[in-house]
Amino acid sequence: QVQLVESGGGLVQAGGSLRLSCAASRNLNAMGWYRQAPGQQRELVASINWGGTTNYADPVKGRFTVSRVFAKNTVYLQMNSLKPEDTAVYYCAAGGNLWAPSEYWGQGTQVTVSS
């Protein structure tokens, strides 16, 4: 079993930035972030694998950056130029592969972007 602990969510104005962190109890090949807005399906936002290859959803390309520090078993999501449509619960996930890192899940952290 792998535990994932997220931090860094909150309220920010449109155009602002937030950084999410997710500490895992051990490293896995793929780690990433999903989000789920009210009434919508959970979607993959960004992911990164052991080799550092990244994958981004089209709506966040150029604004979000996913990274990881292996020594800390931690993955980050730097979110810039935030938009109200980025408002959602963000979930850290790990395991699986770069396109679906979904074997283990964090508890979720709320990100709210005001207009």
Side-chain angles (χ1 to χ4, degrees):
Q1 191 69 16
V2 175
Q3 285 74 48
L4 303 173
V5 179
E6 301 138 336
S7 60
L11 173 65
V12 64
Q13 289 188 333
S17 298
L18 282 175
R19 189 176 81 154
L20 305 182
S21 300
C22 173
S25 54
R26 64 177 175 90
N27 275 309
L28 288 93
N29 175 39
M31 298 184 73
W33 296 90
Y34 289 74
R35 68 184 180 187
Q36 187 168 20
Q40 297 187 20
Q41 290 188 333
R42 191 173 297 188
E43 61 176 355
L44 180 63
V45 175
S47 56
I48 184 168
N49 66 8
W50 193 271
T53 301
T54 57
N55 172 46
Y56 294 97
D58 286 342
V60 307
K61 285 181 179 177
R63 300 188 297 122
F64 291 11
T65 303
V66 62
S67 60
R68 65 191 296 180
V69 176
F70 289 97
K72 296 183 178 181
N73 297 348
T74 299
V75 63
Y76 303 95
L77 185 67
Q78 178 66 43
M79 304 184 292
N80 298 330
S81 301
L82 283 161
K83 305 175 181 180
E85 51 263 45
D86 294 318
T87 295
V89 178
Y90 283 70
Y91 295 90
C92 177
N97 57 56
L98 184 65
W99 313 109
S102 55
E103 187 173 358
Y104 303 99
W105 294 90
Q107 77 282 3
T109 185
Q110 177 70 46
V111 171
T112 303
V113 183
S114 63
S115 56

